[in-house]
Structures are given as structure tokens and as C-alpha cells.
Amino acid sequence: MDAATQDMLKNLFETKLNSAMRLYLETCTHCGACVEACHVYNSMPEMRYSSVGRSEIIRKVFLKYFKLQGKIAPWLGETIELDDVTMDRFYDAAYSCTGCRRCMMYCPFGIDTQMIMGIAKLLLIGADKEPKLLTMLADMSIAKGEDAEASKAGFEEAIANIEPEVEALWKTAPGKKTIPLNVEGADILYVALSPKHSIIPAAAILNAADASWTLSSFEAVNFGAFMGDSKRMMAIAQRIIAEAERLKVKTVAIVECGTAYRVMKQQTGKHPFEVVAFVELIAKFLREGKIHTTKNIAEKLTYHDPCQVARNGGVYEDPRYVISQIASDFKEMTPNREMNWCCGGGGGLVAMGELEFRMKSSRVKADQVKASGAGRICTICENCQTQLTDLSEHYELGVQVDSLANLVAHALIQE
Amino acid sequence: MNALFSLAASAVQHLTGAKLGSFWSKAALILSESADATSGATVAADATSGATAAAVAVSPFLNAIEYTIVVPLLYFSVLFCIVGIIWRLYKILGAPPAPYSLKIYPSSKSPGLGALKDTFAMPQLRRHKPLFWVFLVIFHISLIMLLLGHLDILPSISIVPESSRHMVGAGLVGVGVTVPLLYFLFRRFRTPVRELSVPADYLLLILILFLFLFGDLMSWGNSWTPNGFVMTKQDFSLYFQGLAQFTFADPRAVLPGSHYHFLVIHVLLADLFFIVLPFSKILHAFLSYPINLLRRK
Ligand code: HEM
Ligand code: SF4
Ligand code: SF4
């Protein structure tokens, strides 16, 4: 690595040094309490897969270039130089971390490893070593935002094609659109993903509640967030924000996608609309008696708290309430809520493929699901759902994995 | 050499309760006093052995070093420490804030109180590392007592009666910091903490350990024998008073006896500690609250 590249990376590093990041980099006492927090370390016990193991690589680079101690006595903190080998270690650390932030529940200082990994991810982009698939997907999302007209016709056609499947779940009241598009003044903007299974059950539920809603022309998933690229992240989120503002909606309901929810709710500033996870809407509809369900799931059902919605988003009780309205034999996993194990698919890993690593690194999750004794598991994040399905297959757990919205859509009572 | 002699002398005297080491301790006493008034040559003439004569030549030098350690260097290191801490806090807390909330849920009703609880009760460690937590709590409470104990030496502050020869806790506070420290050191040598420790971690613990051990020696020394340690809290109070009033007086005048050299080593380690502190991870003491606030707010 030449000096110019090093300088450029150093400058990139510096852009990340806000006060929170400095606290995270300068407070760690190497106490080791977080080591056992990480599902990756628990499944593959190597220090580089622990929370502090990951952040130490960044910290040692920080020490070398930004701290007096690293300049006077580098051996004291075993500083690391920015070079190609270090960049490979950055990759290894950052793209084996799902950003679940479970380690924050163990650290006496609450150090956020996901945030520290943001430095590694940014520097990898700078060194042109980031996972190219994510860049491509992120740039496609951004391009779509810049030229929404180009994809409009195709999108409308695809939506029209799936309307019969929505009707099969719930007969839309006469005179109403099955899947409304571009409705100015609608109450709710529902932001889905590209696969149709992210639209059909939600549309049925919204129609059953007779809600005033409209479907977003954009998909919620934010590949910029996975890459740790705040510029791309904002550009992708901004498409939806602009749409919501243009349509003057009151509520933006995010599909079952943890990262999309957290990005929109917490990481993109204040909005003139409310941001909710779709499950929050379902719970509201149920409480207000706008929809009715039967408890048509008799088999033992458990629930997986997606990290970005639960620990990092605060949605704990609504999904449990919704489940109580559709299932008769609910069993919590242990641990659950803020202590739940990450599924092992976050941080872009599912999008990147990485099947072998995902399976190896999530053995604890598989054990946990197995220990629950449930034959079915539901969750409210597309990523988690994919990962849990893969886990069930790989570890031969024989559990059926579902989206909660889908279960609700199939339990709707049409009076 | 001289330092070694006097160290050995006072150690021997200490352990045997005087007699055996009296020759060497007397020699050391003469040596140290020589620097104040008499020239090396006159003392050499009075001296009984050649070895002492050779040592006497360095005694003014030794005395000057000891004085430097216990007075000017102490002022310097404390000042350095305070300025260093303020500088680092300014660099860290003065940087622009994070662009978005970093909290985790469930959220606390009062983030400030929640962070205070995290800072002082360390519930995460109590839950996941109970033994470590017990030692940490003992350690940090003892640290506070230790700070109070040192302040108490000042005549104007009386936590234990002025007439007492003991510091706060009469040596127990010393055990309270030393035993947990041994545990901290012990666990650093064990997997997995070993793999994530760097030289600075060990060196800091070792520095503090020796700092404490010399402190322990002085405070326990008062209980070991009827005569105890030659110097007591009352003697130290004169030294502290001099420091507090910036008299720049040589404490040797009010702290007689060969045990003085233990105090000097204790203060030397304290000087080092103060100088190292702003660069070290001890800064967590000041950062713990603001960093815990990030998780809560
Ligand atoms: C509000 C004040 C403080 C809080 C919340 C706090 C918290 C902690 C925590 C959570 C640890 C465990 C991490 C570890 O093992 O390193 C720790 C360790 C430690 N603390 Fe503190 N601390 C405080 C003040 C201090 C002060 C004033 C000192 C000054 C000497 C100190 C010295 C140490 C040492 C030496 C360790 C052990 C380090 C090791 O294991 O290597 N702490 N403290
Ligand atoms: S955020 Fe999750 S995956 Fe990353 S280090 Fe922490 S526990 Fe491990
Ligand atoms: S628990 Fe926190 S302070 Fe301890 S090693 Fe992990 S990140 Fe560092």
C-alpha cells in the first residue's frame, strides 16, 4: 500500500471520529466481558470473532495514527499499520459481525462494536475492497431513485399481476384498489421489499383494516447501511422520505426488515411523518378491532426477536400480542428480547450469500431454536427469516419458518 | 548503593523489630542527614568504616533525588495529570456528537439515572461476570476510601481522630485494593483475557500493584510490632501540610528514620502513576458516565 493510499485512508478514518466513536475507541479496558456475548465467537471460539477482538484491530490503528501513546511507545498498545494485511483483517472483522449489538448488553461501558466496524467498512470502501455485490445493489437502489419513471410501467404491471393473490387472502371492498399506488393524502405509506411475499400479506391486512394506504415505489432494504456507507445509506433512504413527503402521508410503515426499520426510524433524522414497523400497525388494528383473527396455529410456535427491531429498535411486545391472537401454543425462546441471540444473517451477510460462514457462525442460534422445542418459528425480518430457514435446513431442525405478517394474513376472519 | 544499603537496613530492622539492623540504619540516617548541614568530608572523617566513607560521597546526591521525588516531582505529576485529563476529555467530549441515537432498548425512563446506575452498579458485569464484579466493587469502593484516607492525612480533615496513628481503615483499605488487583492480574494471564491484553494492561496493573504494596507496607507496618512503623499518620500530616501550603520544605526534617525511603518509593510510584494516568485506560473513570449515557439516550 503506497503512502498516498494510507493518507487517504487516514483521512477517511478521521471523518468517523465523532465524540461517541472516540468514547468507544478510548474507553475499553480490555476486561473481556463482551467476549461471550457474540454468537460468532460462541460458535467459532477465536478471539478475532469476539466483539473486542474485532474492535481491537481498529483501535490499534487508531492508536498508531491518532494518539500520542502510539507514536511515543507503539509497543505499549501493539499498534498496527494501515496496509493490505490490515485491510484484510478489517474485512474479516467487519463482515463477520452482523451488527446485532448484543455485545452492548455485556460491556460495562456499552461499547458499540457495530459502530466501530463502521470505520472498517468505510476504509474498505476507500481501499476498493468492500464486497462488490453490496455496492452494486446499493447503487442500483440509488439509480432507481434517480430515475423512478424508467421502472414505473414495469412496476405497475408487476403489482397488477399479484393483486389476485391478495384477493385470495382478503376480498377488497368494492370500489377500492387492491394495491393502491401513488395515492396522495393516504394515511399510510407501506414500504415493501421486491419479492411479492413482502407485499401480498400486508396488502390483505391493510385492506382488511380498511386502512387508507398506498404502496411505495421503492424497496425498503438499505444496502448502503450494510456497507457502512452513510452517504449511500442516506441516498437510499431519501428516496422513500421524499416520496412520503410528496404524498403527505402520516405514517410510513416499514416491511418486515430490521435494518430498513432502524435506518428510517433512528438514523435519518427527524421526519414529518411517523415511522412504524409493520407489526406495530397489525397490533394497532387488532387492538382497535379493525381486524379479527382466529387462533389457527395449534402447533408450538416460537418467536425470534430481530436485533434491529428489538434490541436496537424497541419493538418487543407488539409481536407477542399479535402472536397471542393467532396461536394457541406460544413458547418463548431462551434467552429472548434484548438478550436474544442474533440469527447470524445480519449486516449484509444474507445479501452477500456467505452460506458456509453463516451456518458455522450461528450454531448457538440453531441450538437455541432446537431447545425451544417449537415446530414453528416466526419473525418480523426478512433477513432473519432467510437465515433461520437456512439454519433449519443445515442443522436439520425441522422447524417451519414464517413471517408474522403472513401468519396473520392467513388467520384473518372475513365477516 | 546507598539506597540499597538503607533499604536493606530498614527492611531488616523492620522485620526483626530493631536490633539487628541498627548499625546499617544508623549509617543510613547519618548519610541522609549529612546533606542538610555538614559536608561529605567531615562526616567521612567521623565515619567508622571505609565503605561508609565511599557511600557518603553520594549522599547529598541521594538526598536531592529523594527531595525531588517527594516534593517538586509530586507537584509536577499531579499538575500534569490534571491538565492531561482535561485535555483528553476535551478531545473526546468536544468532538462533534454522533449523528443519531446509539441507545439500546428497552429504554430507561430517565437516561441520566440509568447511566449512573450502569456506571456505579455495573449490572452487565454482575449478570455475566459475577466474581469479577465482586472484586471490582471491592476494588473501586476501596479506591474511594483510599482517596479519602489520603485526604484525611491533612490536619484540616479529620475522618479518623487526629490523634490516631492509623489511616482510614487501618490497613484494611489497602487489602481492599491489593487483593482485587492480584485477581485482575491473575485473570489477565488466563484465556480469553490473555489474548486481548497488551503490554500496557500488564504494566499498568503492575505499577499500581507496587504502588499499593508500598502503601500497604507503611500502613500495616504500624500494626506489626508494638513500636510499629517509625512514621505514623501524625508524622505524615506534617509532610502533607507542607505540600498543601507550598512551603517546599524538605519532609526529611519531619520524617525521621530509615523508613523514610519506603515513603519515597511509594511517592515515586505515585508520581509515575499520575504521569501515566492521562494516557492510560484509567481514564475510564471519567468516561464511564458519558459513554453509558450513549447506550441509554
Ligand atoms: C466512576 C468511576 C469508575 C468506574 C465506573 C469504573 C469502572 C470499571 C470497570 C467496569 C472496570 C472493569 C474493566 C477492567 O477490568 O478493566 C474497571 C477496572 C479497573 N479500574 Fe475502574 N472504574 C472507575 C474508577 C476507577 C479509578 C478512579 C481508578 C483509579 C485507579 C480505577 C482503576 C481501575 C483498574 C486498575 C481496573 C482494573 C483494570 C484491569 O483489569 O486491567 N477505576 N473499572
Ligand atoms: S455486534 Fe453482534 S456480531 Fe458484532 S461483535 Fe457484537 S455480538 Fe458479535
Ligand atoms: S466488555 Fe467493553 S470494555 Fe470490556 S473488553 Fe469488551 S468492549 Fe472492552
Side-chain angles (χ1 to χ4, degrees):
Chain A
M1 183 177 288
D2 54 32
T5 315
Q6 261 185 357
D7 274 345
M8 182 265 293
L9 294 179
K10 230 160 57 188
N11 291 339
L12 273 182
F13 199 124
E14 198 157 11
T15 63
K16 282 280 188 180
L17 291 179
N18 58 42
S19 135
M21 188 69 90
R22 279 186 174 270
L23 279 168
Y24 289 150
L25 290 176
E26 302 196 35
T27 308
C28 176
T29 60
H30 298 159
C31 74
C34 59
V35 170
E36 281 114 50
C38 182
H39 63 279
V40 186
Y41 178 86
N42 273 271
S43 306
M44 315 161 79
E46 283 178 61
M47 202 38 91
R48 66 190 168 127
Y49 291 139
S50 71
S51 158
V52 54
R54 294 172 210 287
S55 42
E56 272 305 286
I57 307 171
I58 312 288
R59 217 170 256 132
K60 287 170 175 174
V61 170
F62 175 68
L63 205 57
K64 175 168 175 77
Y65 295 103
F66 299 98
K67 301 298 294 177
L68 196 60
Q69 194 214 87
K71 299 200 164 92
I72 297 175
W75 54 275
L76 266 177
E78 294 173 346
T79 61
I80 298 180
E81 196 172 351
L82 273 174
D83 56 21
D84 290 322
V85 178
T86 304
M87 294 315 289
D88 290 345
R89 293 178 69 187
F90 276 13
Y91 191 103
D92 185 51
Y95 286 101
S96 64
C97 168
T98 58
C100 69
R101 299 165 99 224
R102 189 171 191 269
C103 40
M104 289 179 80
M105 300 298 303
Y106 282 64
C107 173
F109 306 110
I111 291 175
D112 182 349
T113 308
Q114 182 194 36
M115 174 130 162
I116 299 177
M117 289 303 104
I119 295 181
K121 289 187 168 185
L122 183 67
L123 265 59
L124 283 165
I125 298 172
D128 200 26
K129 288 191 170 187
E130 83 280 12
K132 289 288 176 283
L133 184 62
L134 292 184
T135 322
M136 201 184 77
L137 291 168
D139 288 345
M140 270 166 59
S141 298
I142 296 170
K144 189 173 163 194
E146 281 161 359
D147 192 8
E149 283 305 309
S151 53
K152 199 172 165 206
F155 179 64
E156 284 173 358
E157 192 189 324
I159 292 303
N161 284 340
I162 62 173
E163 285 188 341
E165 291 181 62
V166 179
E167 290 297 319
L169 287 170
W170 182 270
K171 281 244 128 329
T172 313
K176 290 198 82 173
K177 280 281 294 159
T178 308
I179 301 182
L181 292 173
N182 255 316
V183 183
E184 210 180 302
D187 288 343
I188 300 163
L189 177 70
Y190 175 65
V191 194
L193 298 168
S194 16
K196 62 180 182 177
H197 67 243
S198 72
I199 303 174
I200 296 164
I205 294 168
L206 286 158
N207 289 341
D210 198 21
S212 145
W213 71 287
T214 183
L215 178 68
S216 168
S217 347
F218 302 106
E219 69 292 339
V221 61
N222 197 314
F223 297 105
F226 290 147
M227 307 168 62
D229 182 341
S230 43
K231 282 206 195 82
R232 283 187 171 94
M233 180 187 91
M234 276 312 276
I236 293 170
Q238 193 55 44
R239 305 169 314 162
I240 299 161
I241 297 169
E243 185 184 34
E245 287 174 352
R246 176 170 59 81
L247 298 176
K248 303 187 187 66
V249 298
K250 297 193 189 86
T251 302
V252 170
I254 305 287
V255 65
E256 298 181 329
C257 171
T259 299
Y261 173 65
R262 181 156 178 241
V263 166
M264 195 54 85
K265 174 132 181 159
Q266 291 187 338
Q267 303 185 324
T268 47
K270 288 229 176 313
H271 306 303
F273 46 82
E274 173 199 24
V275 177
V276 297
F278 189 61
V279 70
E280 295 177 272
L281 271 191
I282 303 180
K284 184 165 163 262
F285 293 157
L286 279 167
R287 282 197 190 99
E288 292 173 354
K290 291 202 171 130
I291 58 174
H292 301 277
T293 51
T294 80
K295 293 194 183 188
N296 62 2
I297 301 167
E299 205 176 341
K300 190 178 280 181
L301 173 72
T302 188
Y303 172 70
H304 166 78
D305 284 289
C307 303
Q308 305 306 340
V309 187
R311 187 182 308 113
N312 304 328
V315 179
Y316 289 115
E317 301 313 323
D318 279 353
R320 288 173 169 80
Y321 167 68
V322 172
I323 288 170
S324 73
Q325 303 299 305
I326 58 169
S328 47
D329 187 7
F330 174 63
K331 172 95 194 303
E332 284 282 5
M333 274 197 274
T334 339
N336 55 58
R337 294 184 170 81
E338 70 271 26
M339 293 309 295
N340 186 31
W341 285 110
C342 172
C343 68
L349 288 184
V350 163
M352 285 157 63
E354 297 288 343
L355 186 66
E356 194 190 329
F357 178 79
R358 280 194 283 125
M359 294 304 103
K360 266 202 211 152
S361 62
S362 309
R363 192 184 37 77
V364 284
K365 185 74 211 180
D367 292 345
Q368 181 199 18
V369 172
K370 202 169 179 178
S372 75
R376 300 184 72 166
I377 180 167
C378 67
T379 187
I380 52 170
C381 172
E382 175 85 10
N383 248 307
C384 301
Q385 202 188 325
T386 308
Q387 167 76 358
L388 291 169
T389 310
D390 291 344
L391 279 178
S392 175
E393 202 170 299
H394 181 86
Y395 288 96
E396 297 173 359
L397 304 173
V399 292
Q400 184 186 333
V401 187
D402 280 294
S403 119
L404 182 54
N406 191 42
L407 294 182
V408 172
H410 283 88
L412 288 172
I413 306 171
Q414 188 140 29
E415 272 133 21
Chain B
M1 255 324 243
N2 191 354
L4 270 182
F5 279 150
S6 36
L7 249 181
S10 25
V12 169
Q13 183 192 32
H14 206 90
L15 292 171
T16 55
K19 284 287 173 284
L20 250 174
S22 63
F23 167 76
W24 283 113
S25 86
K26 219 172 274 154
L29 198 65
I30 295 169
L31 288 177
S32 350
E33 276 162 0
S34 67
D36 299 336
T38 31
S39 78
T42 33
V43 179
D46 298 343
T48 44
S49 80
T52 318
V56 166
V58 294
S59 80
F61 184 57
L62 174 78
N63 228 344
I65 290 179
E66 291 196 326
Y67 173 72
T68 309
I69 289 170
V70 293
V71 181
L73 189 60
L74 184 57
Y75 283 135
F76 169 79
S77 54
V78 170
L79 188 71
F80 182 90
C81 181
I82 294 171
V83 173
I85 290 171
I86 293 174
W87 170 246
R88 264 193 80 185
L89 289 182
Y90 167 76
K91 286 281 279 187
I92 294 172
L93 302 176
Y100 48 80
S101 163
L102 294 162
K103 81 169 171 182
I104 46 179
Y105 295 84
S107 36
S108 35
K109 279 175 212 81
S110 157
L113 283 181
L116 265 184
K117 186 176 155 221
D118 289 345
T119 302
F120 291 103
M122 303 181 279
Q124 299 79 19
L125 288 178
R126 193 178 58 215
R127 181 166 180 170
H128 299 291
K129 291 265 175 276
L131 180 65
F132 182 38
W133 180 82
V134 167
F135 278 115
L136 275 172
V137 169
I138 299 176
F139 178 75
H140 287 98
I141 291 177
S142 305
L143 261 183
I144 296 172
M145 306 269 290
L146 200 62
L147 189 72
L148 291 178
H150 281 87
L151 285 176
D152 181 54
I153 294 178
L154 277 171
S156 47
I157 300 174
S158 312
I159 300 172
V160 294
E162 216 42 60
S163 57
S164 164
R165 37 193 282 132
H166 293 296
M167 262 175 82
V168 171
L172 272 183
V173 170
V175 183
V177 287
T178 312
V179 172
L181 204 67
L182 288 171
Y183 173 74
F184 297 154
L185 202 55
F186 165 73
R187 70 189 289 281
R188 273 224 179 274
F189 283 98
R190 286 179 57 205
T191 304
V193 186
R194 181 192 185 114
E195 280 82 354
L196 54 91
S197 299
V198 294
D201 298 328
Y202 295 102
L203 289 176
L204 180 67
L205 286 179
I206 290 169
L207 171 66
I208 306 176
L209 179 66
F210 279 95
L211 171 59
F212 289 166
L213 284 177
F214 277 91
D216 290 335
L217 191 65
M218 292 190 292
S219 68
W220 294 338
N222 268 327
S223 341
W224 278 353
T225 63
N227 304 337
F229 207 73
V230 175
M231 294 172 287
T232 65
K233 195 189 110 206
Q234 289 120 349
D235 300 319
F236 294 131
S237 80
L238 295 172
Y239 165 42
F240 267 47
Q241 197 167 19
L243 284 174
Q245 294 171 347
F246 293 93
T247 60
F248 285 91
D250 188 345
R252 192 60 174 124
V254 294
L255 297 172
S258 52
H259 288 160
Y260 178 66
H261 308 291
F262 286 111
L263 173 76
V264 173
I265 294 171
H266 182 66
V267 177
L268 175 64
L269 292 169
D271 291 345
L272 265 176
F273 175 70
F274 285 132
I275 291 170
V276 167
L277 194 152
F279 297 106
S280 78
K281 60 184 193 178
I282 303 280
L283 219 71
H284 73 262
F286 303 91
L287 301 178
S288 188
Y289 179 74
I291 198 172
N292 267 307
L293 206 53
L294 292 175
R295 169 165 54 184
R296 295 285 189 166
K297 213 159 125 184

